[in-house]
Amino acid sequence: MAEHNDSGKLAEKLAADFLIGKGYELVETNYRHRHAEIDLILKHRGLLIFVEVKFRSGTGFGFAEEFVDSTKRKLLIKAADHYIFEKDWHNDIRFDIIGVYKDRTGNINFKHFEDAFY
């Protein structure tokens, strides 16, 4: 597996642990529907939350949230619609983005954007 894929999987694990530590319940990881993948699906306070995780080893090329463009959002929404139908979910939902940042000393930091789009 390519190094960037390894980094992405590690970032997803770290983001899941971060959210679980904040009281979220992990429901599913890497849910796929056609050409879309939802990194994390969690429940929190009665909401079903679809999370896109973006890893950055710096901000020289931009921040994580800037890399979720309209095409990516449409794919995520379609996959979420399929998941909602498949699981017969009737409560509210939310789309979040989590930026996982590794600084020069190797420390990991998170930026959590709740209700990022839709």
Side-chain angles (χ1 to χ4, degrees):
M1 189 179 288
E3 185 178 336
H4 70 277
N5 290 338
D6 291 340
S7 297
K9 293 297 175 199
L10 176 59
E12 290 170 10
K13 170 79 171 101
L14 293 170
D17 291 345
F18 171 75
L19 291 171
I20 291 167
K22 292 175 68 174
Y24 289 64
E25 174 191 345
L26 183 63
V27 176
E28 194 155 345
T29 61
N30 305 114
Y31 176 80
R32 296 189 67 78
H33 174 67
R34 295 190 180 171
H35 297 293
E37 179 181 4
I38 301 171
D39 295 329
L40 304 173
I41 302 174
L42 304 105
K43 290 181 183 176
H44 186 64
R45 297 183 179 164
L47 293 173
L48 187 64
I49 303 165
F50 302 96
V51 180
E52 176 67 11
V53 178
K54 291 293 184 187
F55 175 75
R56 292 289 169 262
S57 58
T59 56
F61 293 105
F63 294 96
E65 65 277 12
E66 297 171 327
F67 289 88
V68 183
D69 61 12
S70 62
T71 302
K72 180 68 172 178
R73 284 193 287 267
K74 286 177 190 174
L75 286 170
L76 289 169
I77 290 166
K78 281 186 179 186
D81 284 344
H82 186 267
Y83 185 87
I84 290 163
F85 178 76
E86 184 180 272
K87 300 299 181 184
D88 197 30
W89 180 261
H90 294 283
N91 295 325
D92 288 334
I93 65 166
R94 189 175 82 202
F95 291 89
D96 290 4
I97 299 171
I98 294 205
V100 180
Y101 297 91
K102 185 176 182 181
D103 67 21
R104 292 181 182 157
T105 61
N107 294 319
I108 300 292
N109 297 294
F110 301 94
K111 280 183 84 174
H112 184 187
F113 300 91
E114 295 181 3
D115 208 10
F117 61 90
Y118 190 50

